[in-house]
Amino acid sequence: MLAELPRSTTPDLLVGFETGDDAGAYRLSDELALVTTADFITPPVDDPATFGRIAAANALSDVYAMGGRPLTCLNLVAFPSRELGPDVLEDILRGALEVIGQADAHLVGGHSVEDAEPKFGLAVNGLVHPDELWRNAGARPGQALVLTKALGTGVLFNAHRKGWVDLDGLAPALASSTRLNRAAAEALAPFRPAACTDVTGFGLAGHSLEMARSSGVRLRLDFERLPLLDDAIEQYRAGVGTGLNLVNRQRLDGLLTGHEGLEEAGQELLFDPQTNGGLLVALEADRADEAVAALREAGDAPAAVIGRVEDEVEGGALVIA
């Protein structure tokens, strides 16, 4: 759809919509570029403050995925004020403001509309040096793939809604989805990732394929190395799913190979939509273990090498081993 629209021709637009990157980037000077993004979600949990924290961390993640530092935020609010009332909205905003503070960013306003279903997120502006900008394009053959967080938030949130997972069982997913990707981005910076994206609504397979396409390479993921949240695969085995799994699977129809040998629950985890998921990065293979150690020291215990960049392929390709 976007491919048919006219594109900007200014050389200062460093990242537009051509590669489906996590955010746009515009050069302000030789040493400074603006990173700009927006994201909002429906509530994955009932608690308003937790919803605000998750939604804020999810929106801020796009700036970290570009190697940037968040600076200002605007609230994006759709809210049924007659049904839920101002106290609920205040709690959502307070939760978001807590996470914005953890990012050392600043809330400067926002916009709200009346809606039948609550939705919340942020428009975020950040800064980065133009030479240190990360993109989902740039992965090169021989590099390793590192993932910073465990997978499975989508199915666990749905299992909780069904009453199959209590709050104690949901705790790891909540901790992951409210944790900023700031520490991960800071830990990865010295390793100069060649490509980076955050894993969110398209699932690991969808975002991996975007990186493969943008880079013109084949990515190979090792399923046995994927970090998984406790109970995530068991919930898929029990029959829980998400509304996006089928959509995500259909998007990759004919573009993904090797997954057919996995059990059905394992396949579903590849398409599980993540909320504020981890960073997926391609970096030099001889420094991958060192990068994982740095990530774990920074607090991202699930971080792991999950695959490699194989060869150049026109249009990109994704293989699950």
Side-chain angles (χ1 to χ4, degrees):
M1 195 180 339
L2 289 176
E4 303 303 319
L5 298 177
R7 304 182 183 187
S8 172
T9 58
T10 174
D12 289 322
L13 183 61
L14 303 178
V15 182
F17 55 75
E18 293 80 8
T19 56
D21 241 305
D22 297 295
Y26 188 90
R27 183 180 9 241
L28 301 175
S29 70
D30 289 343
E31 297 184 351
L32 202 61
L34 177 71
V35 179
T36 184
T37 186
D39 205 331
F40 59 91
I41 59 174
T42 56
V45 292
D46 291 333
D47 180 68
T50 303
F51 173 35
R53 286 191 285 270
I54 293 172
N58 185 65
L60 288 158
S61 180
D62 286 341
V63 176
Y64 294 124
M66 303 296 287
R69 172 176 61 87
L71 184 62
T72 62
C73 304
L74 291 168
N75 287 325
L76 302 176
V77 181
F79 193 73
S81 58
R82 297 179 184 86
E83 287 77 13
L84 296 181
D87 290 347
V88 173
L89 180 56
E90 182 177 349
D91 285 346
I92 294 172
L93 300 182
R94 286 188 183 277
L97 193 57
E98 176 186 330
V99 171
I100 292 169
Q102 292 171 7
D104 290 329
H106 307 278
L107 183 65
V108 297
H111 184 70
S112 62
V113 296
E114 189 74 21
D115 198 352
E117 182 179 22
K119 305 174 185 69
F120 179 74
L122 300 173
V124 186
N125 287 320
L127 298 174
V128 67
H129 192 290
D131 295 338
E132 296 172 0
L133 180 67
W134 299 346
R135 302 191 58 177
N136 66 2
R140 299 186 297 273
Q143 292 181 330
L145 298 170
V146 172
L147 181 65
T148 66
K149 285 184 180 180
L151 303 168
T153 57
V155 71
L156 289 172
F157 282 136
N158 272 11
H160 178 66
R161 290 192 191 98
K162 292 176 178 291
W164 293 9
V165 171
D166 60 18
L167 278 175
D168 287 340
L170 190 64
L174 289 175
S176 179
S177 58
T178 56
R179 176 174 170 77
L180 285 172
N181 280 323
R182 175 179 181 171
E186 291 174 350
L188 287 167
F191 299 93
R192 302 185 67 82
C196 180
T197 189
D198 62 342
V199 180
T200 51
F202 294 155
L204 176 63
H207 289 283
S208 296
L209 183 62
E210 282 192 336
M211 181 182 288
R213 279 175 161 175
S214 299
S215 303
V217 296
R218 187 191 325 272
L219 301 186
R220 181 176 293 271
L221 305 183
D222 184 344
F223 184 83
E224 295 300 321
R225 292 188 174 192
L226 299 183
L228 305 178
L229 287 167
D230 291 344
D231 207 29
I233 197 165
E234 285 77 10
Q235 292 304 321
Y236 274 119
R237 287 170 178 159
V240 181
T242 81
L244 286 178
N245 274 64
L246 180 58
V247 175
N248 287 343
R249 182 187 285 265
Q250 290 173 337
R251 286 182 69 250
L252 273 71
D253 187 35
L255 302 172
L256 172 67
T257 60
H259 63 296
E260 304 89 351
L262 299 176
E263 64 166 308
E264 188 65 23
Q267 292 185 38
E268 291 299 329
L269 275 166
L270 297 172
F271 307 110
D272 188 84
Q274 305 304 288
T275 304
N276 188 35
L279 300 179
L280 173 67
V281 299
L283 46 77
E284 297 307 318
D286 60 359
R287 301 201 68 191
D289 290 340
E290 185 184 355
V292 167
L295 285 162
R296 292 176 178 175
E297 185 176 354
D300 286 284
V305 178
I306 65 164
R308 64 183 184 273
V309 185
E310 291 196 323
D311 51 347
E312 294 183 356
V313 176
E314 185 175 355
L318 179 61
V319 179
I320 308 298

